[in-house]
Amino acid sequence: MESYQLEDPLQSQFASNNLIDPEEFRKQADLVVDFLAHYFRDVAKYPVLSQVEPGYLRKCLPDSAPDNPESIDAILKDVVKDIIPGITHWQSPNYFVYFPSSGSTAGFIGEMLSTCFNVVGFNWMSSPAAMELESIVMDWLDRMLSLLDSFMFFGHDTTGGGGVLQGTTCEAILCTLVAARDRAIEQVGKHDIGKLVVYGSDQTHCALKKACQVAGIVNFRVVVTSRATNFGLSPEISLACNGRGHKVWPCPIVLVCYGRDYIIHGGGQGVRVWVHVDAAYAGRACVCPEFWHFIDRVEDVDSFSMNAHKWFFTNLDCCCLWVRNHGALVKSLSTNPEYLRNKATKSKRVIDYKDWKIALSRRFRVLKLWLVLRSYGVTKIRNFIRSHVRMAKHFEILVAMDKRFEFVVPRKFAMVCFRLLLPAPVPAGAEEACAAKINQQLLEAISFMSSSGRIYMTHAMVGYMIRFAVGASLTEDCHVFQAWQVIEEYATNPLNPSEFRKLAHLVVDFLADYYQNTAKHQFSAKLNLVASASACQDQPRPTPTQLTPCG
């Protein structure tokens, strides 16, 4: 038999290819840290919204990966040349869109530590510090928010509360929805799963509908809100969802609420409704005692979530979820394969967070939240948030002083929702269409058509309004004032008189055609009815069940 000589590992050509060589790591990391420091210094100089066209990057990069190593210097040059032009700069002080993705030095360092350890934390044995630190930090946040004892860890029994870090709100909603679904099925039986229904207001995040699709809940009902309640859920609507109103589905299982919407107890037909409060954006403000009233009676709900990566200076991703009964999550999401069984889990003295979420593997993301809380302290974090609220109040005053604008809904925390008024009267029925068009043009002129891309905002469809959200870590008063100057500049003449007149007439023509076509349709329907009646007049009088095919 032919013999083979094994290659000495010490003499192998791969022996020097240590992918984590400490000195090489230090050298490359120093270059990257300097690169990032310069980026943060200059981020305000970039257009906030990327100005590239779809497919731009494929034209810049080769068709296949390199065969040989490339230096970090060459790679960083390509980052500057090819990647940065295609980035919308969420860390820019002129970023006022969606929600503030406010990172921080502490959050960044925590992310570095988490990446370094590269923990795969599915249970306590996989990394005890990862499990225990997470439960401790979640209790710290509970106290900051004044969520009361019902959401804190007390021992390891299956009936107590507790907190867990998810990746995003989408994950938090899905986990709580699955737990609520299974609790309801226990009461009504699996054969009635088609009767289960989830309620959310028309202001609820689309993540709820997606969670229903994943969890197999086919009945998702949108609760219509109105300006009269500032687009929040009213007690009357809540009672209807609770089975005490007239229009209610057989088995309501989940109601997703925001702020002080959650005025509901019990359930319909013996099924207790699971109430989840999604405070993804506003929850961070409630670490300030002056905002605690926004989460009054939170002890009555089943679960509460907020995103620490939104306006809490913790880099993405980091969603905080608390439940009053963590046993409900564990019952729905736990797995116990042989290779994960161990004495610590059997002792029931530890937390295995793999049973609190969808995925088995977990990042050590609590490190960055721990560093944020320790590096800045509760007082400084509260003052950061207050400073952003103060800036939003200043912006609100600037808008109020300009009579060309109106507020669509009251300011909440650091978000101002406003729109440009019509510069001239339009025919009745065309007001909303014209208002939407003129504000859309204003927003596009500011965010897209301006070559400098100086600020970036977005819109929402409550009518059509422009959202101005303050909260980026680098934003200061000067940036808010400069943003208002840009808005004023483009609002001076976003739609010239001839374009406005043309637009108004187009809308009027559209409405006239609509009414005319509606009238024609009704007249045609009447003619068909008369013809049908004539055809039927010599026949015996039909019964009610026969009227449909005859008409």
Side-chain angles (χ1 to χ4, degrees):
M1 178 180 289
E2 184 178 358
S3 62
Y4 292 92
Q5 181 67 38
L6 294 178
E7 185 176 20
D8 184 352
L10 297 179
Q11 302 299 321
S12 170
Q13 60 175 321
F14 300 108
S16 61
N17 290 349
N18 186 347
L19 297 183
I20 311 181
D21 177 80
E23 290 308 314
E24 185 62 23
F25 172 80
R26 189 191 313 276
K27 176 184 174 183
Q28 294 194 27
D30 282 343
L31 287 173
V32 173
V33 167
D34 288 342
F35 174 88
L36 294 175
H38 291 149
Y39 171 76
F40 288 132
R41 182 194 64 192
D42 298 333
V43 66
K45 299 177 182 178
Y46 296 110
V48 187
L49 180 65
S50 174
Q51 306 291 305
V52 302
E53 295 294 329
Y56 89 99
L57 193 55
R58 190 169 290 276
K59 300 174 183 177
C60 302
L61 301 183
D63 293 334
S64 57
D67 292 327
N68 299 308
E70 297 183 8
S71 69
I72 188 64
D73 302 86
I75 296 170
L76 289 179
K77 287 178 182 178
D78 285 346
V79 170
V80 173
K81 179 172 66 74
D82 300 328
I83 302 302
I84 285 183
I87 291 178
T88 292
H89 298 280
W90 288 62
Q91 302 308 309
S92 171
N94 300 311
Y95 182 94
F96 303 104
V97 69
Y98 303 127
F99 55 84
S101 178
S102 45
S104 65
T105 298
F108 190 93
I109 300 301
E111 189 71 69
M112 289 176 66
L113 287 172
S114 175
T115 303
C116 168
F117 297 139
N118 205 24
V119 163
V120 184
F122 34 74
N123 61 11
W124 185 86
M125 286 291 292
S126 65
S127 275
M131 302 295 117
E132 297 194 11
L133 182 61
E134 187 163 328
S135 63
I136 292 168
V137 169
M138 291 301 290
D139 279 353
W140 285 5
L141 282 172
D142 181 295
R143 292 186 178 94
M144 289 176 66
L145 287 161
S146 189
L147 290 182
L148 304 182
D149 293 347
S150 54
F151 289 104
M152 294 183 68
F153 285 100
F154 284 97
H156 301 282
D157 62 277
T158 59
T159 60
V164 58
L165 291 181
Q166 306 282 350
T168 65
T169 293
C170 299
E171 297 172 44
I173 289 178
L174 178 57
C175 290
T176 54
L177 179 61
V178 169
R181 178 201 64 190
D182 291 351
R183 187 177 73 178
I185 286 175
E186 284 185 352
Q187 300 174 61
V188 303
K190 289 186 177 180
H191 58 283
D192 280 335
I193 188 173
K195 295 181 180 179
L196 303 182
V197 61
V198 172
Y199 286 91
S201 82
D202 52 7
Q203 304 302 310
T204 300
H205 196 280
C206 61
L208 177 59
K209 186 175 181 181
K210 180 180 285 190
C212 290
Q213 294 171 207
V214 175
I217 306 297
V218 297
N219 300 316
F220 172 60
R221 290 294 168 264
V222 175
V223 181
V224 179
T225 59
S226 67
R227 194 182 296 268
T229 59
N230 286 328
F231 301 97
L233 291 176
S234 67
E236 292 76 19
I237 295 175
S238 297
L239 288 175
C241 296
N242 196 21
R244 290 181 241 168
H246 300 293
K247 298 180 180 179
V248 62
W249 277 70
C251 297
I253 61 166
V254 171
L255 177 67
V256 175
C257 315
Y258 299 82
R260 300 183 69 182
D261 288 345
Y262 42 88
I263 310 169
I264 181 170
H265 304 276
Q269 296 192 3
V271 179
R272 189 165 73 84
V273 177
W274 182 298
V275 183
H276 175 72
V277 176
D278 174 13
Y281 163 73
R284 271 78 60 229
C286 295
V287 302
C288 300
E290 61 267 32
F291 297 131
W292 281 350
H293 66 278
F294 282 100
I295 52 174
D296 282 347
R297 296 185 62 184
V298 72
E299 67 274 11
D300 295 332
V301 308
D302 295 276
S303 51
F304 178 93
S305 64
M306 74 168 206
N307 284 341
H309 58 253
K310 294 179 183 175
W311 202 22
F312 203 72
F313 320 107
T314 305
N315 297 45
L316 189 77
D317 54 359
C318 190
C319 174
C320 306
L321 169 66
W322 290 269
V323 289
R324 276 203 303 170
N325 177 6
H326 71 255
L329 282 183
V330 172
K331 190 172 185 178
S332 294
L333 301 173
S334 65
T335 54
N336 191 29
E338 181 62 36
Y339 64 88
L340 292 181
R341 294 178 183 176
N342 59 84
K343 291 182 179 179
T345 297
K346 289 181 180 179
S347 73
K348 298 188 182 301
R349 297 174 53 216
V350 301
I351 298 168
D352 288 343
Y353 273 126
K354 69 178 179 61
D355 299 328
W356 292 51
K357 61 192 297 291
I358 303 297
L360 175 64
S361 301
R362 310 183 73 250
R363 299 177 61 235
F364 198 178
R365 59 170 60 90
V366 70
L367 268 178
K368 54 190 174 185
L369 186 53
W370 185 53
L371 259 75
V372 166
L373 293 173
R374 291 195 60 188
S375 299
Y376 304 128
V378 175
T379 300
K380 192 168 186 177
I381 289 173
R382 285 172 174 167
N383 287 338
F384 276 143
I385 291 171
R386 287 168 178 147
S387 70
H388 291 144
V389 174
R390 177 183 53 78
M391 292 181 208
K393 288 181 178 179
H394 288 175
F395 183 83
E396 181 183 31
I397 293 171
L398 293 171
V399 175
M401 291 172 60
D402 193 324
K403 300 307 178 183
R404 295 174 299 172
F405 294 90
E406 68 172 349
F407 297 108
V408 182
V409 293
R411 176 190 54 78
K412 286 292 178 65
F413 309 113
M415 182 181 295
V416 181
C417 299
F418 66 103
R419 67 178 179 179
L420 187 65
L421 292 168
L422 295 172
V426 297
E431 296 92 347
E432 280 301 320
C434 289
K437 181 64 177 179
I438 195 173
N439 280 278
Q440 183 180 1
Q441 283 204 255
L442 172 61
L443 193 57
E444 289 179 352
I446 293 170
S447 301
F448 297 92
M449 296 164 62
S450 170
S451 60
S452 63
R454 285 178 282 173
I455 65 170
Y456 185 25
M457 301 180 296
T458 190
H459 74 284
M461 290 306 297
V462 178
Y464 186 103
M465 65 183 185
I466 300 173
R467 296 168 72 257
F468 187 85
V470 182
S473 301
L474 298 173
T475 300
E476 299 177 359
D477 290 277
C478 61
H479 300 108
V480 173
F481 184 70
Q482 289 169 5
W484 174 246
Q485 287 181 315
V486 173
I487 295 169
E488 276 193 314
E489 174 187 339
Y490 282 93
T492 300
N493 194 14
L495 194 64
N496 64 49
S498 61
E499 289 178 326
F500 180 79
R501 188 178 296 108
K502 180 180 178 182
L503 170 66
H505 281 302
L506 284 173
V507 175
V508 170
D509 290 343
F510 168 80
L511 292 173
D513 290 341
Y514 170 77
Y515 292 135
Q516 186 177 12
N517 291 334
T518 301
K520 286 181 179 178
H521 175 75
Q522 292 174 342
F523 182 67
S524 176
K526 289 179 181 178
L527 287 178
N528 291 336
L529 185 60
V530 171
S532 300
S534 299
C536 296
Q537 64 181 355
D538 295 329
Q539 299 177 9
R541 186 175 182 85
T543 64
T545 57
Q546 296 172 319
L547 283 175
T548 300
C550 185

